[in-house]
Amino acid sequence: MTTSSPLNVLGLPGLLHGCDYNPDQWQHAPEIIEEDFQLFPHAGIGVISLNIFGWAKLEPQEGHYDFAWLDDIFARAEKQGMRIFLTTPSAAAPNWLTAKHPEILRVDENGQRRLQGSRMNFSPNSASYRAHVSRINRALSERYGQHPALALWHISNEYAGTCYSDESEAAFRLWLKKKYITLDALNLAYWAAFWSRTYTDWEQIRAPRGHGEHTTVHGLCLDWRRFVSDAWQDFIAAEVAAVREGGSSVPTATNLHPGGMPYDPWRLTAPTDIISWDAYPAYHDRDEPWDTGWNVVVHQSFVQDLCRSLRPGQPWILMETTPSSANWMDVPKLKRPGVHVLTVMQSIAHGADAALYFQWRAGRGGEEKFHGAVMELCGGPESRVFADVIAATHALEKCAPVAGSLASAEMAVGFDWDNWWTQANIISHGGHGRSHYPWEQLDLYRTCWENAMPCDVLDPSAPCIDLARYRILALPQQYLLRNGLVEKLTAWVEAGGVLLTGVLSGWVDENDLAFESGMDPAWRRLVGLRREELDHLYPDETNHFIFPKDNALGMNESYAAIDKLELNHLDGAELLASYGSEFYAGMPAFTVNAVGNGFVYYQAARSRQDFRNDLLKALWKKHGLVPLLPLGTLPPGITVQRRKHDDGREFWFVLNFRRIPQSIDLGKIQAVDLISGQEINGSINLTAYGVAVLDFGGIISQPILA
Ligand code: GAL
């Protein structure tokens, strides 16, 4: 990377390439450490994430620190011009600590306290664990906080887990007291008179669990999930505070868990400066990874666009991915040639400024000894995996000009954890197990992904989300309306925003209570509809959206309406399509409500992908959103994503997720492919799993949307 490269999210030039590095496991073999530092530059590894599970080595006995091995690594890294992400070691407590303080260990739903073992096995609510973590974090910060090699504080590792200890339940009650102040308010919010669940003492409140309260009191179940995320947020905030007390002002990040994110990332990431997450896609698990199972490729892009939305205006960090396979996968297939660079570049395409691996060198023992690593047990600098890593280095180096640039989507899809939890777990309108949240969001996103329409994935209520930058916002199944959301949406629509929402939206308030008159009056005004009933269909049944011939949106005359269908009445909105059959034939199936300068579209029933595809394309055309390429240009399995600098210099990432070469006709586009250095003039040929990064150098000869 050259010093003239633009600065990345950490204020360093170019894109960063790095890995988890665990020298604490190799202190008995100094020649290995020697070799590591010889090989880092060959692999193009410029950043090491250090000390992730190093507590036992760092503090072998309470209060007795051994910094020598870390000092050595810092000195070597500095000498080689490498940067360090120093991890606070809370993810794995040492044995001496849990032996002395078993109360820090997590308690499961059945009240059983865990024994020491594995990692991430502590309670975020344990005051004693917090005190010890703060102590070691302060010590690390005092020692390394000003070190020139330190680039980032990596706060712990993939926080996860729910604790049901007495200490956790007491913290939950405190959280509830702060929120509701009185038991009367809590009982009302929980509709506790139902089945005589009224609380008369705060101490009666227990965490919901399988053999206790788990379906009846919806507000309680939802609050518990919020509390668990808040408890983690609090724990993270305490970790960061200790680092700051130690005198370091270097930025912080915590790596979000790749496995579905059971905790609300908007809450978890609040105390840190930079967003980071870990990605372990199994693209190499199928021949056509872009179209398998739960659509692995599109899902990865979806989460990555969520990462960039969590902190608007800032690139993020891919803290972990495997350079080859992950041994915990059902079928840990090797990455096929090309897949590695493709997956690294996918994260860069969606806004990452750094890509790191788990891990540099495979250990000889433990659960992950046969997990992929840059230096595998039978691998080495001559290996195929090592060569793949070098190929990624080249791509990242060539793409240095991308550093610091941002995505600039005018389309967004809403996705928030309150709605996910409520609809996936604690809804009671029937159709259990058939909640389509967040599949509905993913399917809408997929239409954008396949048609070169940049799209953010966001929580519309989040204070950091300024809706003004979006022209179209899709909020499917916005079932739960947080306080203030309808006002925020209304102001944005009045100013010209276009909202697409529909079935199962606006049903309950922030506490998961149905609205007194069935609908929030402000939501009713916004959508221009009055809801009356909800019909459910069996999977083999369909009704239809019937659009008039030659309708203004250019939609077909008929599409299947499936699964869940709201029976609504017009209350200001205009009818665009009606139901085709049943006793409610003719009732509104798709409507639009003009509000100020904007519009609210309401899709009263679930649909299939053909409807979503046609609808989004129609809305883009009608409301002036232009995809990067004319519709129909992209062959299946290819996406185009964009990043942009403030000065207008744009980069388009063209990613081929198929194992066959594919070409695209780019019309009049002229650009340079940063990776190959070739001029692109009119068309582009991508190899199997190929990537091109088009650099327009500030001038875009973009085709006009057909
Ligand atoms: C991650 C974790 C790493 C390592 C890796 C293996 O989730 O953060 O420490 O365990 O999985 O795939």
Side-chain angles (χ1 to χ4, degrees):
M1 85 189 50
T2 64
T3 42
S4 61
S5 302
L7 301 184
N8 59 43
V9 65
L10 291 174
L12 300 166
L15 301 170
L16 301 175
H17 196 199
C19 51
D20 280 18
Y21 180 45
N22 300 304
D24 39 311
Q25 294 172 24
W26 293 98
Q27 288 305 300
H28 58 283
E31 69 287 358
I32 292 281
I33 301 208
E34 200 59 46
E35 185 187 56
D36 291 341
F37 277 87
Q38 273 165 23
L39 289 177
F40 284 142
H42 290 291
I45 295 299
V47 179
I48 44 179
S49 197
L50 208 58
N51 190 44
I52 302 169
F53 305 109
W55 196 338
K57 190 63 80 187
L58 205 58
E59 193 184 8
Q61 285 176 49
E62 184 163 359
H64 294 271
Y65 298 108
D66 173 8
F67 290 119
W69 64 277
L70 257 187
D71 288 352
D72 172 55
I73 301 296
F74 264 89
R76 287 173 187 267
E78 187 185 4
K79 195 164 154 212
Q80 293 192 193
M82 294 175 69
R83 296 302 177 129
I84 290 177
F85 292 178
L86 185 57
T87 311
T88 62
S90 59
N95 291 341
W96 60 258
L97 181 54
T98 52
K100 186 167 171 196
H101 297 287
E103 75 279 7
I104 71 174
L105 291 165
R106 197 175 300 154
V107 171
D108 71 15
E109 268 193 54
N110 296 316
Q112 188 172 30
R113 194 176 290 281
R114 288 182 63 158
L115 296 175
Q116 170 71 323
S118 192
R119 60 181 183 183
M120 254 313 138
N121 57 354
F122 60 89
S123 167
N125 304 303
S126 160
S128 143
Y129 197 51
R130 283 192 187 196
H132 282 280
V133 169
S134 294
R135 184 175 52 72
I136 189 115
N137 288 6
R138 260 193 312 274
L140 282 167
S141 175
E142 281 160 11
R143 191 161 188 99
Y144 303 108
Q146 321 291 332
H147 198 288
L150 182 66
L152 180 78
W153 284 100
H154 176 188
I155 304 296
S156 199
N157 192 65
E158 294 184 353
Y159 292 100
T162 303
C163 176
Y164 295 83
S165 64
D166 292 348
E167 201 174 8
S168 293
E169 287 197 315
F172 180 44
R173 284 181 209 113
L174 214 60
W175 186 95
L176 291 172
K177 276 184 195 163
K178 272 195 202 139
K179 178 169 177 183
Y180 294 104
I181 316 288
T182 67
L183 269 182
D184 283 349
L186 176 136
N187 281 320
L188 188 60
Y190 288 179
W191 209 249
F194 175 75
W195 288 355
S196 218
R197 297 272 56 82
T198 303
Y199 295 103
T200 52
D201 190 316
W202 292 97
E203 293 303 307
Q204 294 160 4
I205 303 176
R206 304 293 311 267
R209 46 188 121 197
H211 61 291
E213 196 64 77
H214 68 288
T215 52
T216 320
V217 186
H218 288 182
L220 177 81
C221 297
L222 181 57
D223 273 345
W224 172 250
R225 286 177 170 82
R226 289 169 171 154
F227 161 76
V228 171
S229 287
D230 276 356
W232 282 119
Q233 185 195 81
D234 231 45
F235 189 89
I236 297 166
E239 287 224 39
V240 170
V243 163
R244 298 291 175 242
E245 281 159 29
S248 181
S249 56
V250 167
T252 56
T254 189
N255 50 336
L256 295 169
H257 201 290
M261 296 198 200
Y263 313 98
D264 181 350
W266 298 86
R267 291 169 194 254
L268 256 61
T269 56
T272 56
D273 301 308
I274 294 169
I275 303 303
S276 81
W277 89 300
D278 298 345
Y280 287 89
Y283 296 167
H284 42 296
D285 203 32
R286 289 282 185 275
D287 287 340
E288 295 287 17
W290 62 276
D291 200 20
T292 57
W294 196 45
N295 213 322
V296 185
V297 173
V298 178
H299 178 239
Q300 287 292 301
S301 289
F302 180 85
V303 180
Q304 292 179 341
D305 283 347
L306 168 73
C307 285
R308 75 185 186 205
S309 305
L310 282 166
R311 204 55 57 85
Q314 207 186 59
W316 51 275
I317 291 172
L318 177 71
M319 194 65 91
E320 283 181 30
T321 191
T322 174
S324 64
S325 61
N327 68 334
W328 46 261
M329 285 182 181
D330 280 349
V331 183
K333 242 186 193 179
L334 298 178
K335 283 185 179 175
R336 272 34 191 168
V339 169
H340 180 62
V341 172
L342 177 67
T343 54
V344 167
M345 294 315 292
Q346 183 185 16
S347 63
I348 304 296
H350 289 279
D353 264 5
L356 282 78
Y357 308 117
F358 175 85
Q359 62 175 336
W360 167 253
R361 185 184 280 278
R364 290 179 51 206
E367 207 168 298
E368 291 172 338
K369 58 179 176 291
F370 298 124
H371 190 289
V374 182
M375 288 288 287
E376 300 198 318
L377 291 169
C378 298
E382 309 303 329
S383 69
R384 192 181 74 98
V385 170
F386 204 91
D388 263 359
V389 169
I390 292 176
T393 299
H394 288 156
L396 291 168
E397 280 178 359
K398 296 273 173 54
C399 290
V402 169
S405 62
L406 299 168
S408 56
E410 290 180 286
M411 161 100 211
V413 172
F415 176 36
D416 70 87
W417 264 251
D418 277 359
N419 266 293
W420 192 8
W421 290 327
T422 312
Q423 295 180 56
N425 303 297
I426 38 187
I427 207 163
S428 64
H429 56 59
H432 277 290
R434 283 198 287 124
S435 160
H436 294 273
Y437 202 101
W439 281 261
E440 199 61 40
Q441 327 350 67
L442 192 64
D443 282 337
L444 277 165
Y445 177 86
R446 178 185 175 135
T447 302
C448 300
W449 191 95
E450 288 175 341
N451 289 286
M453 173 59 74
C455 180
D456 284 349
V457 177
L458 51 81
D459 176 346
S461 301
C464 67
I465 294 298
D466 177 6
L467 294 178
R469 56 186 288 203
Y470 301 104
R471 301 271 286 288
I472 299 183
L473 171 62
L475 294 182
Q477 295 189 204
Q478 194 66 32
Y479 172 75
L480 177 147
L481 298 176
R482 287 216 195 104
N483 294 342
L485 177 64
V486 181
E487 293 72 15
K488 185 173 179 180
L489 291 172
T490 304
W492 169 72
V493 173
E494 280 172 347
V498 175
L499 176 66
L500 169 63
T501 183
V503 56
L504 284 183
S505 293
W507 279 52
V508 298
D509 69 10
E510 173 150 316
N511 295 317
D512 203 358
L513 278 185
F515 290 101
E516 199 156 303
S517 55
M519 278 182 94
D520 170 39
W523 178 257
R524 178 170 159 175
R525 276 194 301 278
L526 184 63
V527 299
L529 293 167
R530 180 172 60 81
R531 200 180 60 243
E532 190 176 329
E533 290 182 277
L534 176 72
D535 195 17
H536 296 256
L537 299 185
Y538 288 103
D540 58 351
E541 287 182 317
T542 44
N543 200 318
H544 286 89
F545 296 89
I546 304 294
F547 283 87
K549 201 168 180 223
D550 301 326
N551 58 81
L553 283 176
M555 299 287 283
N556 294 338
E557 285 173 41
S558 173
Y559 296 87
I562 56 167
D563 190 39
K564 292 184 172 65
L565 303 86
E566 281 181 0
L567 275 51
N568 298 327
H569 300 276
L570 296 178
D571 189 13
E574 184 191 329
L575 184 88
L576 296 179
S578 46
Y579 288 125
S581 56
E582 280 296 347
F583 65 92
Y584 45 90
M587 284 184 81
F590 191 69
T591 53
V592 63
N593 195 29
V595 180
N597 293 323
F599 298 91
V600 180
Y601 292 90
Y602 199 93
Q603 179 188 329
R606 289 199 64 242
S607 68
R608 297 204 175 113
Q609 193 66 1
D610 59 340
F611 181 91
R612 294 184 195 99
N613 281 338
D614 289 357
L615 178 63
L616 282 187
K617 289 173 189 172
L619 295 185
W620 295 340
K621 193 165 174 193
K622 183 165 176 60
H623 297 288
L625 240 69
V626 184
L628 300 176
L629 289 166
L631 296 175
T633 309
L634 286 185
I638 292 195
T639 191
V640 179
Q641 303 293 332
R642 171 179 63 187
R643 290 181 67 167
K644 204 172 177 176
H645 281 297
D646 283 349
D647 65 5
R649 184 170 179 186
E650 258 186 62
F651 308 94
W652 291 8
F653 294 76
V654 189
L655 307 152
N656 177 18
F657 286 93
R658 296 190 70 186
R659 60 170 179 157
I660 51 169
Q662 301 205 78
S663 305
I664 315 177
D665 177 2
L666 294 174
K668 294 194 178 114
I669 281 184
Q670 289 178 320
V672 172
D673 173 13
L674 280 178
I675 297 182
S676 69
Q678 279 172 3
E679 277 191 23
I680 303 296
N681 206 337
S683 69
I684 185 166
N685 302 317
L686 292 169
T687 54
Y689 300 127
V691 189
V693 181
L694 308 188
D695 176 7
F696 293 92
I699 311 148
I700 298 205
S701 48
Q702 189 176 338
I704 305 302
L705 176 66

